[in-house]
Amino acid sequence: MISQFFVLSQRGDNIVFRDYRGEVAKGSAEIFFRKVKFWKEDEAEEAPPVFNVDGVNYIHVKVAGLFFVATSRVNVPPSLVLELLQRIARVTKDYLGVLNEDSIRKNFVLVYELLDEVIDFGYPQTTSTEVLKSYVFNEPIVVDAGRLPPLGPAAIFMQGTKRMPGTAVTKSVVATEPGGKKREEIFVDIIEKISVTFSSSGYILTSEIDGTIQMKSYLTGNPEIRLALNEDLSIGRNGSSLYDYRSSSGSGTVILDDCNFHESVHLESFDVDRTLSLIPPDGEFAVMNYRMTQEFKPPFRVTALIEEAGSSRAEVILKIRADFSPNVTANTITVQMPVPSYTMRASFELEAGATGQTTDFKEGSRRLEWNLKKIVGGAEHTLRAKLTFSQEIHGNIAKEAGPVNMNFTIPMYNASKLQVRYLQIAKKSKTYNPYRWVRYVTQANSYVARL
Amino acid sequence: MAPPVSTPKSASPSQPSGKSEVTDLKLQLRQLAGSRAPGADDAKRDLFKRVISCMTVGIDVSPAFSEMVMCSATSDVVLKKMCYLYVGNYARCNPDLALLTINFLQKDCHDQDPTIRGLALRSLCSLRVQNLVEYLVAPLAAGLKDHSSYVRTVAAIGVLKLYHISATMCHDSDFPAALKALMLSDPDAQVVANCLYSLLEIWTQDAANSDEAAREIEALYGKSIIYYLLNRIKDFSEWAQCLVLDLVSKYIPSDNNEIFDMMNLLEDRLQHANGAVVLATIKVFLHLTMSMTDVHQQVYERIKAPLLTLVGAGSPEQSYAVLCHLHLLVMRAPMLFSSDYKHFYCQFSDPSYVKKLKLEMLTAIANESNTYEIVTELCEYAGNVDVPIARESIRAVGKIALQQYDVNAIVDRLLQFLEMEKDYVTAETLVLVKDLLRKYPQWSHDCIAVVGNISSNSIQEPKAKAALIWMLGEYSQDMMDAPYVLESLVENWEEEHSPEVRLHLLTAVMKCFFKRAPETQKALGAALAAGLADNNQDVHDRALFYYRLLQYDVAVAERVVNPPKQAVSVFADTQSSEIKDRIFDEFNSLSVVYQKPSYLFTDKEHRGPFEFSEDLSNLAIGGDSGDDVIHSAQRYEENDKDLLLSTSDKEENGGPTHNGSSTYSAPSDVNSSTSLVSSSTTQPAAFAIDDLLGLGVLDTPALPPLPALSLNAKPVLDPGTFQKKWGQLTVSSSQESTLSIQGVASLTAPQSLIKHMQNNSIQCIASGGQPPNYKFFFFAQKEGSSSFFLVECIVNTASAKAQIKIKADDASASDAFASLFQSALSNFGSS
């Protein structure tokens, strides 16, 4: 059971503080913040999400630059508290539209209303956005999402693609829109985080996709929804899972290692034709999470080279090639490469005519950084850098540099080939035709090339 | 409450400025209090918001209490809720003023709107004011019977709140019984869950002094209630499901079919997107199958995929919690995960606390089939920019080398590390090479060749330097310039700040001297002279010892300082298997994250009903059973270690009964050397006085008449069942007994008492401790029956007292057994 719940800003200010059981001293927020801030003085190590100070357990998640913290004196299941904290953040976002310090400060009374119902005397009650509606009486004060750091992967749809109504994902589930009428719409996002490690010779050492089908429904009356996935989708690679009967099918099939589902999902027809049926609750939630280690084509090829060029100089060549269709564009790409610790200076040479690219040598962390606004499918980009060292090179310089790490987002692309074939909404009337948005996005989780 | 905020960027009206703000608020509230003017509610809302905002950032707005109450007469729900929040926060410090709120809260408890009723009831119960409890009873009783399920959920938790303010009031009103009835009948699952939360907490606290509560708790884990809850598990919210699953994990099924039925029923819970539900389910599966080895293993196979999916799916924090559990499972059964090693490779984005876990897992699952891949991967991390992780990786490679049979390739890798010429890599590697040589002396040739090239000047870290010096001493016959390197080190004695290094230097020079006397003589003389003049007591003592030893007889000195060594076979595990088992019992709790059993980090009053106390922790389960094989290996290691460890470490190791299981000591233990001294001085004195007064033996209670109870001479009970029973049964008899002088005298080691009790048909299942405190767990079985008696017996030889706690399957026979046990104990030493 939870003793206290509080939300702290990055600076350690209390934004929301709720004491449920009165068994932990009031100074806990301060103790927590000091501990997190100075976890290990000499090493830049992050505090773990769960720690104990003087018999009080502090459990926290970081969302949108804020700390969501619970304290407890008993030996609680950590995953329960962490899931609950995450859920509180999500429910709050459902109500406020945007989750950040400003929106919580402006709506803290509403947040207290939520907290009153979500937890009673430390025990979780309900976290259903829908059920909570009948107990929340404050109207949310909507803050402008434009300049604020977005929450979660779904927020990337606000930039980049023009097809999406930018405000939709930041719409509160309770706020009435200017026209007084709610727009009937539903969003289904297929979000994939990919991890790939390339060996120094370019082979793929490990690759994995962690995907989630996320849904956000603004449909009134909660109609039933059918979500059809690839017909030849199969689950369970190693024969360890229940659905093992198709794992040997030929190429082109999508084989997931494993998946899990939101509790509203009915799986009756899933085994037959790979459709999920559900009555989506209000607000944002993950319909299905999946994991895939089947080989897939990585969206980028990265090659990195470091060569001696004289006794205290070296040259670095970084090359990336976008291995996807030209009508897809990746955005916000960052390539980082650690260089030997005795590097003093770096000078960069971009290819001729390069636009939207910046380079930097981070002296503190001894890294080269290369940022690209976007990369169109099929394109290839190169960066050359000359390094100057403070001492003569000895030994193998490649051992002291790298690995290269890459970050990117590719909208309307998914590496796993998992597809939503159709999204069917049970019709209430002939004229009922809500907007449906099915969107794909792939992000780098850990995209590493070794030297 | 919290530090005042430094001014945030937006100048919102809700930003407080302190005392004047409170006065201002009071004034404005007073003006609005009676107002019925249109727009008054809006003005009140703004004011209330400012008050709450002040409260949040830690400004004391309690002076406005009466004004707030005056304004609370409103039909506006938003206002009401803010007022409730305020009152809940300050009532405890203003009990007199809190009385003012009772009136309107009670009135709201009868409101037509169930939402208002629920809110009011919740606030009423949250006041936490002792002298207002009488006002709670009637609304609570009504609330439990309310036709709105919302009000009932509030009332169910409300009972618990009342219990915490006044347990007697709660019992006098018969609320626990009402909750139990509600739990078994309410159609609303959340009401059932809340009843369960409350009852568990109430009865757990009561169980300490009430047998009835203990029985009620036991009934909650009984078949009928477990089945009732399981059958409607899908009605419960995901959070309440976790509660039910936790209960189920403690249920003891009667046969295997029951186990399979339950597992089939819960199978789909493993596919839940909520990690908390999945982990709670896994706990059920693991605990149900504990005694079925093959099924248990299947469970491991089954839960792998869902766990890995959870690791990938959630936020980094959620992944961490799941990964900790995966770590526990991997450590328990590394074999089962040997083909999944790639999942535990570190990712670029992993925080360091995740990387550390993964490195440990990789180390554990390395075996013949995957070592090459794992070590290759680890070697990549060794050059990592993240230095602590790089160090951990090198250590991991070393550990794998120490646990493998085929270390060929790994030794090469380690030696390659030395060529990287990074300070910390070299330092870590040297320590590893030293350990490796202690286990595989046959590699000395290859290693020494490379180590010999390292300049001792380039190494700064004491541990690494000590390792290098150890190797110089140990292998001086193979290293051409060993005497000269040592000599130059001795010359720089003054600059060597670490006493650990200086100690090693002394020993190394000695060893070198025995092998290459003419070349080392000068260095030895210098080292001994420097050692004798050293400020550090340990260094000085060792130098003096060596000096006298050499004076006495060089041959003896060689036998002492440089005896032939046996290779170390197994390095001691840091955590005892009991601790590990305990953590496994507490699966799906913080214990797994901290890697400590709960009694090490929670206060007594916050422990759950099934969390064992520290009693079993530091005792060797199974008593003195034949661990001799392992012991001998450890002993070699200890002997060897003594030469390497600094003296402070040695003291710990040199304890009288050092073995694997006592390396970990619970905080409550008093086995420090000081208590040893005090016991030996006070003990005779105390007895002398007793004797003078003619007490002593007479002090023991007169022997009770021979009880009718007879015990099975050879009962069988395995430690696991014992622990389970011990956790479930309540203390039926708790007594203090006195030992005879002869008894105390005989109790030099636990074994003597164990033998004695055995002769009385009472078996020992675990024992431990050091003088003057011994702890025993005994059990006995009634002849011709399946009912067991479990005993915890703590003996203090200094006071000649024994604390006895008895738990019995059959509580009615417990008294008879208690007297039997007491008489056996008082006879100890007299035969």
Side-chain angles (χ1 to χ4, degrees), chain A residues 186 188-190 211-215 223-231 233 235 243 256 258-281 285-290 418-426 438, chain B residues 271 273:
Chain A
I186 181 164
V188 178
D189 298 334
I190 292 90
T212 176
I213 301 180
Q214 197 154 300
M215 192 176 272
E224 189 180 344
I225 283 179
R226 288 174 71 78
L227 201 63
L229 306 179
N230 310 34
E231 269 177 324
L233 181 75
I235 295 162
Y243 311 102
L256 304 180
D258 183 54
C259 56
N260 62 36
F261 303 95
H262 188 262
E263 57 181 355
S264 66
V265 177
H266 292 283
L267 293 170
E268 283 77 20
S269 54
F270 187 67
D271 287 348
V272 186
D273 60 359
R274 296 303 185 210
T275 46
L276 303 169
S277 66
L278 68 155
I279 294 170
F285 67 100
V287 178
M288 169 180 169
N289 296 304
Y290 56 91
L418 181 91
Q419 306 247 293
V420 172
R421 276 188 294 131
Y422 59 83
L423 171 63
Q424 201 176 62
I425 303 170
V438 179
Chain B
Q271 279 194 325

Side-chain angles (χ1 to χ4, degrees), chain B residues 712-717 761-763 779-781 788:
Chain B
N712 180 354
K714 289 213 166 69
V716 181
L717 188 67
S761 301
I762 297 165
Q763 313 296 322
F779 69 93
Q781 193 177 30
F788 279 100

Side-chain angles (χ1 to χ4, degrees), chain B residues 413-471:
Chain B
R413 306 271 187 134
L414 281 175
L415 297 179
Q416 277 172 22
F417 285 153
L418 292 176
E419 287 160 10
M420 279 170 72
E421 293 187 36
K422 285 192 185 182
D423 300 346
Y424 59 89
V425 175
T426 310
E428 289 294 341
T429 312
L430 277 176
V431 176
L432 282 176
V433 170
K434 175 212 62 181
D435 284 343
L436 211 63
L437 287 179
R438 288 166 62 201
K439 186 167 177 185
Y440 308 107
Q442 67 270 31
W443 288 104
S444 61
H445 203 73
D446 303 60
C447 294
I448 293 312
V450 183
V451 171
N453 291 332
I454 296 170
S455 157
S456 59
N457 301 327
S458 64
I459 299 157
Q460 295 307 318
E461 292 177 36
K463 259 190 149 55
K465 209 164 184 176
L468 180 66
I469 291 172
W470 182 85
M471 286 186 272

Side-chain angles (χ1 to χ4, degrees), chain B residues 660-724:
Chain B
S661 62
S662 68
T663 42
Y664 203 95
S665 65
S668 63
D669 251 10
V670 243
N671 51 9
S672 65
S673 50
T674 44
S675 67
L676 223 164
V677 175
S678 69
S679 73
S680 58
T681 50
T682 55
Q683 204 175 302
F687 282 128
I689 293 167
D690 277 350
D691 278 351
L692 279 175
L693 296 173
L695 295 169
V697 189
L698 291 181
D699 200 29
T700 54
L703 289 184
L706 206 65
L709 180 74
S710 64
L711 297 174
N712 180 354
K714 289 213 166 69
V716 181
L717 188 67
D718 66 289
T721 324
F722 184 92
Q723 284 213 10
K724 211 164 204 173

